[in-house]
Amino acid sequence: ADLYWERARHAEAERREATMAHYEALVREHDADGHYAALSKAHAYLSVDTTPGGARVVAHRFVPRDRRLVKDEEHAIDLGPTPVRHVKLDPGSYVLVVTKEHAGAYRDVRYPVLLRRGAHHEASIDLYRDDRVGDGFLYIPRGPTIVGGDELAYDALPRQEIDVASFAIAKFPVTMREYCTFLDEI
C-alpha cells in the first residue's frame, strides 16, 4: 500500500489521472489497516489575504474539456471578502477571481492555484488600480509556480516549485512600430 500510495501521488503531481486512479485502486485493495482511506479523502485548505483588504474572492475549479483545463463557470464558489481563512475545498486546480469594488478602479486579479490533498495554501495578493498597471498590460500576482519536469524536452530542468514575484506583462506582443518608437526615445 505504501508503494502504491507513493506512485499515486507521483502520478497526481504529473497530472496523469488514469495512472493515479489505477494506483489509488491498488492502495484501496492493499490498505489493510485503513490508513490511506482517510488520506485519500482529505481536503485541501485555502487562506487568502489582499492588500487592501475587503476584496471579494470567488473560486472556479478547472475542469478537463476537450483535453484542456478550462474554468468551470457554472460552479463558482464565493469565498467572501478577504481575509479568507482555512476554507475547505476539494484538491485540484482552481483560479481565484479577486475583485475590489467601491474603492476606486482596482484591477480584477486572477490567481491560479493548485490545492494539494491535505495541504494548506496561503495566498497574499496585492491589488493595484488601473492607472498603476497601465492600459494594455495584465497584472500577474506573486505566488508559487511549477517549472521544468518535461521529460520530452531537450536538457530539461527538473520539476520544481518556485516563488515568482508579481509583475505586469503586455497583453499583446510588441509591434515593430512600438519597438521603433522605443529605439527613437533612447
Side-chain angles (χ1 to χ4, degrees):
D2 292 341
L3 173 65
Y4 294 142
W5 179 259
E6 182 180 322
R7 289 186 178 174
R9 298 295 58 86
H10 184 69
E12 181 180 35
E14 293 183 347
R15 296 182 167 266
R16 294 182 302 158
E17 293 181 18
T19 304
M20 181 183 80
H22 169 73
Y23 283 119
E24 284 183 347
L26 290 170
V27 167
R28 286 190 296 276
E29 185 178 321
H30 294 90
D31 187 18
D33 61 358
H35 171 71
Y36 291 108
L39 287 175
S40 67
K41 295 177 184 170
H43 288 86
Y45 295 90
L46 175 69
S47 294
V48 181
D49 279 315
T50 59
T51 304
R56 177 147 311 276
V57 181
V58 177
H60 297 270
R61 182 98 190 241
F62 279 119
V63 293
R65 192 168 295 135
D66 297 327
R67 296 179 51 182
R68 290 182 31 209
L69 287 176
V70 296
K71 184 169 75 169
D72 184 1
E73 297 284 354
E74 298 172 11
H75 301 100
I77 304 164
D78 188 350
L79 303 178
T82 58
V84 173
R85 297 281 182 251
H86 298 290
V87 174
K88 182 168 61 169
L89 295 169
D90 290 332
S93 293
Y94 292 83
V95 63
L96 307 178
V97 179
V98 182
T99 56
K100 174 95 171 144
E101 297 180 16
H102 307 298
Y106 280 98
R107 181 77 55 101
D108 290 354
V109 175
R110 277 147 185 73
Y111 183 91
V113 61
L114 174 61
L115 299 178
R116 291 187 170 91
R117 186 184 322 269
H120 179 213
H121 182 86
E122 296 182 55
S124 179
I125 302 170
D126 296 323
L127 303 176
Y128 293 101
R129 296 183 188 278
D130 283 334
D131 60 344
R132 291 274 321 267
V133 177
D135 290 336
F137 284 84
L138 300 173
Y139 168 62
I140 311 299
R142 70 178 177 256
T145 188
I146 297 171
V147 296
D150 183 356
E151 296 173 359
L152 300 177
Y154 175 75
D155 199 23
L157 293 171
R159 183 181 174 94
Q160 58 189 320
E161 188 171 300
I162 62 171
D163 284 322
V164 176
S166 59
F167 62 95
I169 190 168
K171 188 172 186 176
F172 299 105
V174 175
T175 65
M176 184 62 103
R177 174 172 283 142
E178 291 169 330
Y179 184 62
C180 287
T181 302
F182 165 74
L183 290 175
D184 289 342
E185 288 181 10
I186 61 168

